[in-house]
Amino acid sequence: RGRDGQRWSKETLWTLFDAFEAMDLLDQGSIRRKDFMWALKSLGNNLEFLKATTRAKLSEHFHKTAEDLSVDGFINLAFPAATAAERAQLRRWADLRKAYLILTRHGFAAQDDEMRRLFELLRKDKNVDCLDLEDFVAAEIFTHDEVQAAEPFDGYPNPLTLAKFRRIFKPPLDAKYSRQEDKSPEWRKIARRRFKALNAEAAACQFRIQAAGPEDRVPTLPSAAQRPGSVSGKKPGLPPLPSARGAGPGAAAAGGGRPLGTWGGYTSCVV
């Protein structure tokens, strides 16, 4: 149970969202059916993953539909009794968790596109182009002391616009999280490693196909001109149809076929 009489805690949502995020292989905020099937094979023996997928009834969901499952859809499945206000709070916690995972997952380098994505996830009011400093603390990205230390004097700008966010917090984010060891749970690390390995194997296979010489390529059927009995340089084609006047046993033999009958003045042959 959450604080202040809430039925669910932020930690509960984060545990469930970690499973969702591990299945979001394209990092697009949704799960495809094949992502879920892959996760069952790769992560099916992990207790936390099984708890999350069982609670959200994902097997039943993807048995009914092949449509992608969004974050909101996942929250609705995992918390079917939640009110509209509670769903909004749960989604807010999911955004905060996603911001934290971007920093701690792999490859954060404080690039402009990464900073913008963090800004979009952290800001509470999507209609206002700024975020509050408390959002860092709520996402457990920085402590209060670290937020205060980011600006060497009191009265630091609050709320933050995107430009100020980049100027003030890019250095501490870079120092704390860039090239940092992945802090994800071990089962999520395994999932990511397996997915990367599959991508690398597919890319290597494609490269080998493109780089293969003529002798390495899959053999193809010989052309008509190369088949036994064909005239060099010419495609055999169908035998000529004899004229109606000359139709007869001799004409059929000249055409290279066996007479089956006549129709409309022509003799039909099978080569």
Side-chain angles (χ1 to χ4, degrees):
R1 192 173 182 86
R3 304 178 184 90
D4 303 324
Q6 294 173 329
R7 289 194 285 176
W8 302 286
S9 67
K10 178 174 67 175
E11 290 72 24
T12 298
L13 184 280
W14 282 6
T15 300
L16 296 173
F17 184 78
D18 282 353
F20 176 92
E21 207 269 344
M23 291 183 283
D24 182 12
L25 298 181
L26 297 182
D27 194 24
Q28 61 183 9
S30 62
I31 306 171
R32 301 168 297 174
R33 176 192 275 177
K34 61 182 178 180
D35 297 337
F36 173 65
M37 300 303 295
W38 172 85
L40 283 180
K41 295 178 181 179
S42 301
L43 309 173
N45 60 349
N46 178 269
L47 183 59
E48 293 298 329
F49 173 79
L50 287 176
K51 285 181 178 179
T53 55
T54 301
R55 174 166 180 161
K57 299 180 180 179
L58 293 189
S59 293
E60 181 180 338
H61 170 80
F62 284 112
H63 180 73
K64 294 178 180 178
T65 179
E67 293 183 0
D68 296 352
L69 180 64
S70 66
V71 176
D72 290 326
F74 177 76
I75 290 174
N76 292 341
L77 291 176
F79 303 91
T83 64
E86 288 171 330
R87 288 195 185 102
Q89 180 61 69
L90 291 166
R91 178 54 196 261
R92 172 61 180 159
W93 289 338
D95 287 345
L96 295 177
R97 185 61 172 176
K98 181 64 178 181
Y100 177 82
L101 292 175
I102 287 175
L103 293 168
T104 59
R105 189 173 60 195
H106 55 82
F108 178 73
Q111 299 298 316
D112 284 346
D113 58 337
E114 295 173 312
M115 297 295 292
R116 172 175 284 279
R117 192 177 184 193
L118 283 175
F119 182 83
E120 295 297 330
L121 288 167
L122 287 173
R123 64 192 182 107
K124 187 174 183 177
D125 188 350
K126 304 304 182 183
N127 296 318
V128 179
D129 195 24
C130 60
L131 59 86
D132 194 281
L133 293 176
E134 287 298 320
D135 296 331
F136 288 109
V137 181
E140 298 185 5
I141 293 174
F142 289 131
T143 64
H144 282 100
D145 292 340
E146 288 173 328
V147 170
Q148 180 70 28
E151 190 72 353
F153 54 85
D154 293 334
Y156 47 81
N158 186 18
L160 286 170
T161 62
L162 176 59
K164 291 179 179 178
F165 168 67
R166 284 173 171 166
R167 176 174 59 83
I168 296 174
F169 285 97
K170 183 174 181 177
L173 284 170
D174 189 27
K176 185 173 183 178
Y177 292 105
S178 290
R179 295 171 296 280
Q180 188 183 44
E181 182 182 356
D182 192 350
K183 290 184 178 181
S184 303
E186 187 60 29
W187 61 272
R188 288 189 66 256
K189 295 180 183 179
I190 294 173
R192 292 292 174 182
R193 285 198 295 267
R194 288 180 178 175
F195 183 61
K196 286 183 177 180
L198 288 174
N199 279 346
E201 182 179 349
C205 180
Q206 183 65 25
F207 174 79
R208 287 195 297 269
I209 292 174
Q210 294 175 351
E215 68 281 0
D216 299 321
R217 299 186 184 277
V218 178
T220 57
L221 292 174
S223 64
Q226 296 171 329
R227 291 172 189 162
S230 63
V231 180
S232 178
K234 296 182 180 179
K235 296 184 179 180
L238 293 173
L241 293 173
S243 64
R245 280 179 248 174
R258 175 171 52 87
L260 294 179
T262 60
W263 178 82
Y266 294 97
T267 300
S268 299
C269 299
V270 177
V271 178

